[in-house]
Amino acid sequence: MSIKGIFPIDNWDFKSESIFADLPLADYELLTAHKSEQIYKKNEVIFREGAYPSGIFYISKGKVKKYKVDNEGKEQIIYIANTGQLIGYHAILSGDRYPDSAAVMEESTITFIPKEDFLTAIERSSVLNSRLLKALSHEFAVLANSLTMFAQKTVRKRLAIQLIVIREKYKVNFVEGMPIAINISREDLASLVGTARENVVRVLTEFKEAGILATKGRKIIVLNVNKLIEISNE
């Protein structure tokens, strides 16, 4: 089922695919003049925090986690980017190093666009400029909401919200009534929720016993998204 009108998905998720959608042909050709495509295997790193950017990355197919690593080597996932989204451009726009790391969560096809082509396209394309500003503004709002969520909501509510958001990302050729399987490790889910793996497993078991979801190996099948929405609003 669609959650439009019953859950404010835009408060928790941002989509940057609109940045490239229907760009004027001249702008698109300028941007992609020297692009290259690479297949990354599951868990392979695309870029690391602190490295200098040499270009931007477009997710042609797959899913990518953006994360930071603390002094103890523990990952904190900031966001999961989906097919059609752009990553790595913040560092180029700020003229700084990457503020976080990125790794694929499944085998993914990633398109690389050199820094020089990206900057030239921005300089010449008012359409691209406008879309980037809009995307950055939306991303800031989403991250602000996420900070509030971590500060004010329980693990149970945070997990419900993240399952709703991730479920949307796994909608591929969706037909009404079709179950959606979320393929994510419990470690990554715990990192995204900001808690210990044991807490995530405990709450998932609770949801499973309540008939809200089912599991098959590491896959999570959401059976009752309405109930997750209710929990997120408790």
Side-chain angles (χ1 to χ4, degrees):
M1 63 167 286
S2 171
I3 62 172
K4 280 189 176 180
I6 59 174
F7 182 81
I9 188 68
D10 287 343
N11 288 349
W12 308 103
D13 190 27
F14 53 80
K15 295 179 173 65
S16 59
E17 65 264 31
S18 60
I19 293 175
F20 284 178
D22 301 319
L23 267 180
L25 182 59
D27 295 349
Y28 182 78
E29 288 179 345
L30 189 65
L31 186 64
T32 59
H34 303 100
K35 71 176 183 179
S36 58
E37 205 170 73
Q38 181 178 336
I39 295 175
Y40 287 76
K41 297 189 182 301
K42 181 180 173 181
N43 295 325
E44 193 171 350
V45 174
I46 300 173
F47 57 78
R48 293 189 187 277
E49 180 179 356
Y52 284 104
S54 56
I56 62 172
F57 300 87
Y58 181 78
I59 308 171
S60 300
K61 181 181 178 183
K63 290 176 178 59
V64 173
K65 61 180 178 182
K66 295 182 67 182
Y67 62 95
K68 293 183 76 71
V69 180
D70 64 21
N71 292 332
E72 297 175 356
K74 184 179 178 181
E75 282 185 14
Q76 174 64 61
I77 296 178
I78 302 167
Y79 185 73
I80 294 177
N82 205 8
T83 297
Q85 291 190 257
L86 190 66
I87 59 172
Y89 65 98
H90 303 81
I92 291 178
L93 291 176
S94 66
D96 206 347
R97 305 182 188 213
Y98 288 120
D100 48 30
S101 301
V104 299
M105 300 178 69
E106 59 190 32
E107 184 172 283
S108 301
T109 303
I110 308 295
T111 299
F112 173 76
I113 296 172
K115 174 180 177 179
E116 294 75 17
D117 290 349
F118 178 58
L119 291 175
T120 300
I122 289 175
E123 184 180 332
R124 299 186 187 178
S125 173
S126 59
V127 175
L128 184 59
N129 252 302
S130 175
R131 289 181 180 179
L132 280 171
L133 285 172
K134 185 176 180 180
L136 286 167
S137 177
H138 187 202
E139 286 182 29
F140 178 80
V142 169
L143 291 174
N145 285 330
S146 296
L147 288 173
T148 303
M149 174 180 69
F150 281 114
Q152 299 179 358
K153 294 185 182 292
T154 64
V155 169
R156 187 169 182 267
K157 292 180 183 179
R158 297 202 306 263
L159 179 56
I161 290 170
Q162 293 295 359
L163 288 174
I164 295 165
V165 172
I166 300 170
R167 174 183 177 271
E168 291 297 296
K169 296 178 186 293
Y170 277 88
K171 276 186 175 180
V172 179
N173 301 320
F174 178 69
V175 177
E176 194 66 41
M178 175 192 295
I180 299 170
I182 298 169
N183 189 6
I184 186 171
S185 71
R186 301 302 180 263
E187 289 78 10
D188 279 350
L189 190 54
S191 175
L192 196 59
V193 173
T195 190
R197 182 183 186 279
E198 295 75 25
N199 292 334
V200 162
V201 171
R202 174 178 54 79
V203 180
L204 284 176
T205 300
E206 176 190 328
F207 288 172
K208 188 175 178 180
E209 290 173 349
I212 298 170
L213 54 82
T215 57
K216 187 175 181 181
R218 64 181 259 163
K219 291 183 179 179
I220 299 168
I221 300 97
V222 176
L223 304 175
N224 190 342
V225 71
N226 278 330
K227 188 59 182 175
L228 287 177
I229 291 170
E230 283 180 27
I231 293 169
S232 73
N233 290 323
E234 287 177 354

